[in-house]
């Protein structure tokens, strides 16, 4: 699927992040980035069905699990037009964008990793997650401290410096209630990212994050 040539192309794109260069190298992008990504996505579909049947692996050229290569520069100071990483999200079937619960694969020359959870959830969803942790801290701790999960995954993302308004400072889960992101990351080495068993490894890592995903889905009132 992914190869050294994939990473070489991403390095070249970083050094030549302009439309003229990309258009001249469109064929290489297709062969070295898009096609390997779509192959991986297709291979993950039957794997997700085993432990996360509500999450979709959609190997479409646009609008599927492969995130677009074009950057949204409308409100950004950085006007470089292209992303220099490969982002793949297996989103919940009820989700509409990257903020929905999802499993994630990040491929880049400066580091690769797996992700799981909700990144920058909208305010109503964030409030629902916080309320569920507040009402069921023992369930949250069981998810967060699950041995199989903690063996590979680490909670990450942004947090508030102070507790959200209306939440007790001394709540046993206050440090987690302060989170603005409910995501976890698992490392992925270059050797693993280019290995023929990447699909198997991804399935193993994502399955270990199933308790977190189930908790987040329950907080949003959708089936896991």
């Amino acid at each position: 699927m992914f190869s050294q040539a994939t990473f070489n192309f991403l390095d070249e794109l970083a050094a030549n992040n302009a439309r003229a260069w990309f258009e001249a190298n469109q064929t290489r992008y297709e062969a070295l980035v898009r096609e390997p990504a779509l192959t991986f996505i297709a291979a993950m579909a039957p794997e997700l069905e085993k432990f996360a049947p509500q999450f979709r692996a959609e190997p479409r050229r646009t609008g599927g699990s492969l995130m677009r290569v074009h950057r949204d520069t409308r409100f950004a100071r950085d006007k470089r037009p292209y992303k220099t990483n490969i982002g793949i999200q297996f989103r919940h079937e009820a989700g509409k964008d990257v903020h929905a619960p999802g499993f994630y694969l990040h491929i880049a020359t400066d580091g690769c990793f797996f992700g799981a959870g909700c990144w920058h959830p909208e305010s109503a969803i964030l409030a629902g997650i916080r309320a569920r942790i507040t009402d069921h801290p023992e369930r949250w701790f069981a998810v967060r401290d699950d041995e199989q999960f903690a063996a590979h995954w680490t909670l990450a993302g942004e947090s508030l410096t102070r507790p959200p308004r209306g939440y007790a400072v001394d709540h046993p889960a206050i440090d987690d209630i302060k989170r603005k992101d409910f995501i976890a990351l698992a490392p992925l080495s270059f050797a693993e990212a280019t290995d023929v068993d990447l699909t198997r490894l991804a399935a193993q890592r994502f399955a270990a994050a199933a308790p977190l995903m189930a908790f987040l889905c329950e907080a949003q009132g959708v089936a896991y």
Side-chain angles (χ1 to χ4, degrees):
M1 296 180 185
F2 303 110
S3 65
Q4 178 64 59
T6 302
F7 287 87
N8 292 346
F9 181 88
L10 295 176
D11 269 337
E12 290 182 52
L13 178 57
N16 303 276
N17 201 328
R19 287 183 175 84
W21 185 90
F22 188 84
E23 290 172 1
N25 289 272
Q26 181 77 37
T27 301
R28 295 179 61 220
Y29 167 76
E30 296 289 342
L32 301 176
V33 175
R34 180 176 272 165
E35 291 307 322
L38 295 181
T39 299
F40 171 75
I41 293 167
M44 283 300 300
E47 298 297 332
L48 288 172
E49 187 66 29
K50 298 174 185 176
F51 61 86
Q54 308 299 324
F55 290 77
R56 297 290 174 254
E58 300 180 325
R60 302 202 304 268
R61 292 172 60 84
T62 58
S65 299
L66 176 61
M67 301 174 77
R68 64 198 303 266
V69 68
H70 297 86
R71 297 180 62 245
D72 184 353
T73 61
R74 290 174 298 173
F75 308 108
R77 292 184 179 180
D78 183 353
K79 296 300 182 181
R80 289 176 295 180
Y82 301 106
K83 299 173 185 175
T84 57
N85 68 274
I86 302 169
I88 294 172
Q89 186 192 35
F90 302 115
R91 191 178 304 160
H92 192 281
E93 62 181 4
K96 296 182 175 61
D97 54 33
V98 295
H99 307 293
F103 299 99
Y104 178 73
L105 172 68
H106 186 90
I107 299 289
T109 56
D110 61 353
C112 303
F113 57 85
F114 295 115
C118 293
W119 177 73
H120 288 8
E122 61 183 49
S123 57
I125 292 175
L126 180 59
I129 296 171
R130 287 173 170 165
R132 193 159 191 84
I133 294 175
T134 301
D135 295 341
H136 304 282
E138 71 290 340
R139 288 199 59 198
W140 170 250
F141 292 142
V143 168
R144 185 194 67 183
D145 302 332
D146 178 81
E147 288 186 5
Q148 291 187 351
F149 174 74
H152 300 288
W153 294 90
T154 302
L155 291 175
E158 299 179 9
S159 292
L160 298 170
T161 56
R162 299 177 59 82
R165 182 176 299 178
Y167 289 87
V169 176
D170 60 351
H171 189 281
I174 194 60
D175 286 340
D176 290 316
I177 292 170
K178 289 192 295 183
R179 293 185 181 278
K180 296 164 65 177
D181 296 309
F182 285 88
I183 58 172
L185 303 180
L188 176 67
S189 69
F190 170 81
E192 290 169 333
T194 55
D195 192 272
V196 294
D197 286 334
L198 175 61
T199 302
R200 179 184 58 80
L201 178 64
Q204 290 176 349
R205 294 291 183 270
F206 292 155
L212 170 67
M213 300 302 287
F215 186 95
L216 296 176
C217 287
E218 290 170 7
Q220 298 179 43
V222 296
Y224 177 80

